[in-house]
Structure formats: C-alpha cells, structure tokens
Amino acid sequence: DEIIKVNPAQKLSKLIPRKDRRADINPLNKEEIQALLDTVQELYPRHYPFFLCAARTGMRLGELLGLEWGAVDFFGRFIEVRQAFSRHRLTDPKNKRIRKIDMSMQLLTVLKAHKNAMREEAVKAGRPVSKWVFSPANGKPLTATTMANRTFHRCLDRAGLRSVRFH
C-alpha cells in the first residue's frame, strides 16, 4: 500500500544463512549401486547402459542426456563431455569446459552392445540410427524427468534403497 518507503524483506536473504547443499550429499555405496544396476537391468534393460555409464563415469544427468556417439571413443576408451541437455535444449557443460572421462572395460563392452542393438532396431524400423547414445525407440533424446524422476526413483524403491538425488 506504499505506506512505508522501503521493503524490509528486500535484503533478508543476506541475513539468513544459506543451507549448504553439499552437506546433504550422501551417495550410494558400492553394494547399493550394484543393487540399483541389477534392478535397472531387470525392470528397464534398455536403460541399463545409461545407469552403468552414470555409475562408472560420474557424469551429470544433462551430460548423459546430451551424449552423442561422436563423443564416445571406443579405441581410446574415453568419453568426451562436450555438451549437456537442459530444459529441452543443448547447452555447454556446467563448467563450460570439454573434458575426457576414461571408460572401464565393462562400460566399453556394454556401450558397444548398446550401439549394435540400436543399429539393428533402427534398420528394422527403417529409420537412421540416432546420434544420441541414450534414446528411446523413436530415436529422440531422453528427458531428465523420465530418467531421474521416474526410472531412477522407481528402481531405488524396487531395490529397497534409500532415496537419493541422481547426481
């Protein structure tokens, strides 16, 4: 009602200490990750390579969603993180720098098999192979909502694991 000239709540955020989000980080341990991967393979076998890649590389959700086959080097055994998928568009990675992440032999084998399965699926459907490493059967990129909120949390519940953030 403009009775007072200054909004007393305007600088309130400077007076109230912020909660440190890093203090809340409580990642899954080795046994919990294996239980999660087993559950994903049972319930969503198509998404197993996605979750294995997340577990073995530590890539962020958006980086996994924006991963293209051109960034996967099977001979050098590394993944080059060049972009991320955020809010339905491609962006730079969070730190704006391209980085290389080594692949384990298990991840390399799973990604090769995944690429071959995608190629066969595309040939049967009469469409080109998707440039996205992780995509649904229609060849379009996956969404963060589908992977983090639906698939990830359903598998955590089904495996009897505690609820954690994806990254």
Side-chain angles (χ1 to χ4, degrees), residues 5-167:
K5 302 243 185 239
V6 179
N7 180 356
Q10 187 173 11
K11 296 182 181 179
L12 196 56
S13 63
K14 291 183 180 181
L15 301 174
I16 299 173
R18 290 185 180 186
K19 184 178 176 186
D20 186 13
R21 290 188 64 175
R22 292 180 188 185
D24 292 344
I25 295 174
N26 190 8
L28 298 175
N29 63 33
K30 190 175 182 179
E31 293 80 22
E32 290 172 324
I33 288 174
Q34 190 56 53
L36 174 67
L37 291 173
D38 292 342
T39 304
V40 169
Q41 192 154 28
E42 176 189 331
L43 297 178
Y44 303 100
R46 181 179 182 85
H47 297 314
Y48 178 75
F50 178 90
F51 287 99
L52 181 67
C53 190
R56 297 290 182 258
T57 64
M59 291 172 67
R60 295 177 180 93
L61 178 61
E63 294 169 346
L64 289 162
L65 296 173
L67 185 60
E68 296 180 358
W69 284 114
V72 179
D73 185 342
F74 290 114
F75 299 108
R77 273 188 36 208
F78 65 86
I79 296 172
E80 194 171 62
V81 179
R82 302 176 189 157
Q83 61 192 13
F85 198 74
S86 176
R87 296 186 178 127
H88 306 289
R89 63 187 177 91
L90 285 175
T91 62
D92 290 332
K94 187 174 179 179
N95 60 7
K96 308 280 191 256
R97 298 171 80 184
I98 295 173
R99 68 183 193 281
K100 291 182 181 180
I101 301 173
D102 292 332
M103 281 193 288
S104 67
M105 286 305 292
Q106 178 192 19
L107 180 58
L108 179 105
T109 304
V110 168
L111 286 181
K112 277 185 177 180
H114 177 63
K115 187 173 186 176
N116 290 336
M118 285 180 69
R119 188 177 295 131
E120 289 175 15
E121 192 176 80
V123 168
K124 285 180 185 175
R127 59 174 169 73
V129 178
S130 175
K131 69 179 184 174
W132 308 107
V133 175
F134 307 112
S135 66
N138 62 11
K140 295 180 181 176
L142 292 168
T143 64
T145 303
T146 300
M147 296 312 291
N149 297 345
R150 295 183 188 146
T151 309
F152 179 65
H153 287 290
R154 281 182 189 162
C155 289
L156 284 175
D157 289 342
R158 186 75 175 267
L161 300 172
R162 59 196 160 84
S163 182
V164 295
R165 292 177 32 222
F166 182 84
H167 183 79

